[in-house]
Amino acid sequence: MTGYSRSLIGLAIALAGLAGYVDALGFIVLSGQFVSFMSGNMTQMSVSISEGLWSVARVPAAVIVLFLIGIALGTVITHVTERFSIRARKVAVLSVVTTLLVVGSVFSSFDITPGAVTAMALAMGVVNSVFQRDGEVTIGVTYMTGALVKMGQRLTGAFLGGPRWAWLQHFGMCAGLIAGAILGALMHRWIGVHALWPAAVVAAGLIEVAWLVSPSPSAR
């Protein structure tokens, strides 16, 4: 997260919250599978394969493939819009994320679970392209293991005389995902299949936020 303004870090935390929200919905709908946490899906797929449960392994395997396609789509979007401003690239990526979540919400509202899960997994892959520098993802907004490791390192560094508050950025990412996941689970309890619509609305709002907080070419 080095080199990013506080406003952009705030956007990253908001996107982590969105990812947590959507992942919680996916976890509930798929009875224990994820739409953004691919490490968990890889573990579950591997355990199922080791036990010969091929039909069970197909579900996480399919979601992993969809997530990869989303990553590819996000990368293509950033490549195609490379000649435009950085804020335009972020807006383009988030516009696709929003569109996918709207499509997923429509499928979900009609109880078309495969369509909803497909759109959700694709959106979670695409959203990781919001923060890129020189073709590489610099802030992964759907996976927090790296952020947790860095938070632990920065906390230890603070005790050893390093920067006192450097860990807060990484804590914010983890807290954002946790808060989003809790809210997602509660919303599913309250409004059921319609719980994906608020995620689409939030994603649409973050398009405006991305436009406002990405003013300079250095803020990729």
Side-chain angles (χ1 to χ4, degrees):
M1 300 175 77
T2 303
Y4 287 101
S5 67
R6 290 183 179 180
S7 296
L8 283 170
I9 291 172
L11 174 62
I13 292 172
L15 288 172
L18 177 66
Y21 183 101
V22 174
D23 205 27
L25 296 182
F27 185 85
I28 293 169
V29 170
L30 292 174
S31 300
Q33 309 292 339
F34 304 94
V35 293
S36 75
F37 178 51
M38 293 302 111
S39 295
N41 283 343
M42 289 179 184
T43 299
Q44 294 192 36
M45 179 185 68
S46 301
V47 171
S48 297
I49 290 173
S50 72
E51 296 175 348
L53 301 174
W54 299 101
S55 60
V56 176
R58 283 186 303 179
V59 176
V63 176
I64 291 169
V65 171
L66 289 169
F67 187 84
L68 280 172
I69 294 173
I71 291 287
L73 178 58
T75 302
V76 168
I77 294 168
T78 56
H79 177 73
V80 170
T81 58
E82 191 172 9
R83 68 180 184 274
F84 301 114
S85 68
I86 293 165
R87 62 168 56 174
R89 295 203 296 271
K90 286 179 169 30
V91 165
V93 172
L94 284 173
S95 295
V96 173
V97 171
T98 301
T99 300
L100 286 167
L101 290 177
V102 169
V103 170
S105 299
V106 173
F107 278 129
S108 182
S109 295
F110 285 96
D111 287 325
I112 306 175
T113 301
V117 170
T118 296
M120 291 161 69
L122 288 173
M124 292 299 94
V126 173
V127 77
N128 282 290
S129 293
V130 173
F131 291 94
Q132 283 197 17
R133 183 178 291 148
D134 300 324
E136 298 290 334
V137 173
T138 51
I139 304 179
V141 298
T142 66
Y143 44 92
M144 291 301 121
T145 302
L148 195 62
V149 169
K150 290 178 181 178
M151 184 177 76
Q153 291 173 332
R154 300 296 184 271
L155 272 171
T156 304
F159 281 110
L160 295 176
R164 182 175 297 181
W165 303 112
W167 59 274
L168 275 176
Q169 296 177 355
H170 308 292
F171 171 80
M173 293 292 291
C174 295
L177 186 136
I178 291 170
I182 292 172
L183 182 58
L186 290 173
M187 290 297 288
H188 187 273
R189 183 183 302 173
W190 292 334
I191 59 177
V193 296
H194 303 292
L196 192 56
W197 281 108
V201 172
V202 169
L206 291 178
I207 295 174
E208 178 68 18
V209 174
W211 180 264
L212 292 174
V213 302
S214 305
S216 66
S218 62
R220 297 186 182 181

